[in-house]
Amino acid sequence: MSTIRAAITAVGHWVPEKILSNHDLEKMMDTNDEWIRTRTGIRERRILEKGATSDLGAGAVQDMLRKRGMSAEEIEVLIVATVTPDMFFPATACMIQEKIGAKHAWGFDFSAACSGFVFALTVGSQLIESGTYKKVVVVGADKMSAITDYTDRNTCILFGDAGAAVLLEPSSDPSLGIIDHRLYCDGSGGRYLNMLGGGSLNPPTHETVDKKMHFIYQDGKAVFKVAVIGMAEVSYEIMKRNNLTGKDVDWLVPHQANLRIIDACAERMELDKSKVMMNIDRYGNTTAATIPLCLSEWQLSGKLKKGHHCVLSSFGAGYTWGAVYLKWAY
Ligand code: UT7
């Protein structure tokens, strides 16, 4: 058993300036602010007009490095959770590595959709706990606007663009840091949330473009039904495994897909709403970025404090879902 515990020792984020509000969407299609707010909790989202996912990720890592007072050259591993890589290959991790000048880092992309950050954080923490690495950066970044059909009101109201990043290091206090994780996937859910075109199954052709196969497809109702149970149950499971009650947990840090899913999760955990990190109203669903974006904002505001018990929890395409329990380390 490893005696090293991995801890998040810095966090940062970067979001584009352009705001796409519900009222803007009202002018583009048959939808309305009231429907979007009550069904999802979203008021507005950010849109990256120029650039790619690597720009969101690079901005986030630079913000994190500045806050930590650390040089990019100290980074050893760079893991990028995303479903909107700049291109199939090279990996977006390589693009970010070059943009920030992380000369001594190797890295790779991680594809687990909305659970990407929770999965990648778990992998990153194992690299620290193995004793092999001392500075691993985990990025969650997605330019969802690149794969969103702005004529499809079922999906385009949901998504936004953002990047956020955390630094993992060996914890100087072994009682703090990443304590437990529980991860799942179920490939039978793939048909309900996907992007069918562009890969080896449906390589790009005029037909795949005409059929809009390069955009996100979601059967919202089907996904909602399993997400609302999946996220709540895995959060409850990780609490029980660690002998925690709702009173012990300081923060639920949920993936921001839908306010109603987050509320159900908090209810299952018997958690007061004041202990739930929520910024879905301002950013919508930014896929792999939602959880580290919450951590970064709450850390910056001073509300997230050393020793706080946090449950990070997600559900997304795959299906993939999972939770991480950690004690905030700085
Ligand atoms: O992050 C990855 C995981 N994803 C999720 O967790 C998302 C899970 N799903 C959801 O969050 C919800 O299903 C949505 C927010 C996507 C949709 O909410 P819903 O309550 O399931 O609505 P619905 O799709 O059942 O649609 C209800 C009605 C329909 O009209 P009829 O058939 O009842 O007349 C839709 O056509 O609302 C209509 N509708 C809209 N109306 C105004 C659908 N989209 C819109 C819209 N504006 N944008």
Side-chain angles (χ1 to χ4, degrees):
M1 274 286 283
S2 166
T3 52
I4 304 167
R5 192 186 289 290
I8 294 175
T9 55
V11 57
H13 70 275
W14 193 85
V15 294
E17 271 175 26
K18 186 185 158 75
I19 292 172
L20 181 67
S21 69
N22 292 349
H23 296 294
D24 295 329
L25 288 168
E26 280 176 356
K27 292 175 202 141
M28 293 159 61
M29 71 197 66
D30 180 19
T31 189
N32 59 81
D33 173 57
E34 210 255 333
W35 190 98
I36 301 171
R37 271 191 296 101
T38 52
R39 299 279 176 138
T40 70
I42 302 166
R43 275 191 296 120
E44 60 190 39
R45 65 289 289 141
R46 299 297 178 105
I47 303 294
L48 182 66
E49 290 181 290
K50 272 198 194 121
T53 294
S54 64
D55 296 301
L56 298 164
V61 179
Q62 278 160 341
D63 180 48
M64 184 209 78
L65 291 172
R66 192 177 43 76
K67 286 172 177 155
R68 182 77 171 93
M70 186 184 130
S71 139
E73 294 187 17
E74 292 175 65
I75 301 171
E76 293 171 298
V77 188
L78 191 60
I79 308 175
V80 180
T82 187
V83 284
T84 53
D86 288 18
M87 53 192 83
F88 261 156
F89 68 89
T92 301
C94 300
M95 315 281 173
I96 295 177
Q97 186 251 6
E98 205 253 327
K99 281 182 180 166
I100 63 173
K103 280 189 203 147
H104 305 297
W106 64 278
F108 58 94
D109 289 1
F110 199 105
S111 177
C114 296
S115 303
F117 180 77
V118 163
F119 280 29
L121 184 70
T122 303
V123 171
S125 71
Q126 307 295 310
L127 294 177
I128 297 285
E129 287 177 16
S130 72
T132 313
Y133 296 101
K134 293 197 165 52
K135 285 188 166 46
V136 174
V137 172
V138 181
V139 180
D142 269 301
K143 183 184 176 182
M144 295 306 290
S145 62
I147 57 166
T148 297
D149 175 3
Y150 286 96
T151 64
D152 175 13
R153 69 175 187 172
N154 292 300
T155 53
C156 77
I157 56 143
L158 301 170
F159 296 99
D161 304 337
V166 302
L167 175 68
L168 289 170
E169 293 184 274
S171 181
S172 53
D173 175 346
S175 74
L176 303 177
I178 296 172
I179 294 168
D180 195 14
H181 64 269
R182 198 75 187 96
L183 308 177
Y184 293 97
C185 76
D186 173 7
S188 70
R191 76 195 76 143
Y192 303 108
L193 178 51
N194 55 43
M195 190 178 83
L196 288 176
S200 56
L201 181 64
N202 300 299
T205 60
H206 289 292
E207 195 192 352
T208 62
V209 172
D210 291 344
K211 288 186 171 167
K212 300 194 169 192
M213 288 163 73
H214 300 276
F215 291 127
I216 308 162
Y217 163 77
Q218 177 171 245
D219 177 341
K221 251 195 177 71
V223 178
F224 186 91
K225 273 188 205 150
V226 275
V228 79
I229 295 168
M231 209 164 96
E233 286 309 317
V234 75
S235 309
Y236 183 74
E237 183 189 353
I238 208 154
M239 259 176 47
K240 289 288 138 192
R241 270 159 68 106
N242 291 281
N243 301 313
L244 300 168
T245 67
K247 286 196 176 73
D248 304 313
V249 174
D250 295 294
W251 295 108
L252 167 64
V253 194
H255 170 53
Q256 314 276 309
N258 187 309
L259 182 65
R260 291 178 288 148
I261 296 174
I262 297 171
D263 284 348
C265 187
E267 202 171 302
R268 180 75 175 106
M269 295 168 77
E270 296 182 2
L271 210 65
D272 191 85
K273 275 191 184 165
S274 63
K275 293 175 163 189
V276 182
M277 292 190 192
M278 207 135 48
N279 56 19
I280 189 171
D281 55 327
R282 287 177 291 122
Y283 300 118
N285 183 348
T286 58
T287 304
T290 58
I291 290 174
L293 182 55
C294 279
L295 290 173
S296 185
E297 288 200 331
W298 262 251
Q299 205 281 329
L300 197 60
S301 70
K303 284 183 279 186
L304 177 57
K305 294 193 166 62
K306 188 172 179 174
H308 272 175
H309 298 257
C310 304
V311 173
L312 283 47
S313 181
S314 67
F315 192 98
Y319 295 127
T320 54
W321 69 107
V324 167
Y325 164 48
L326 59 84
K327 279 171 85 177
W328 197 249
Y330 74 103

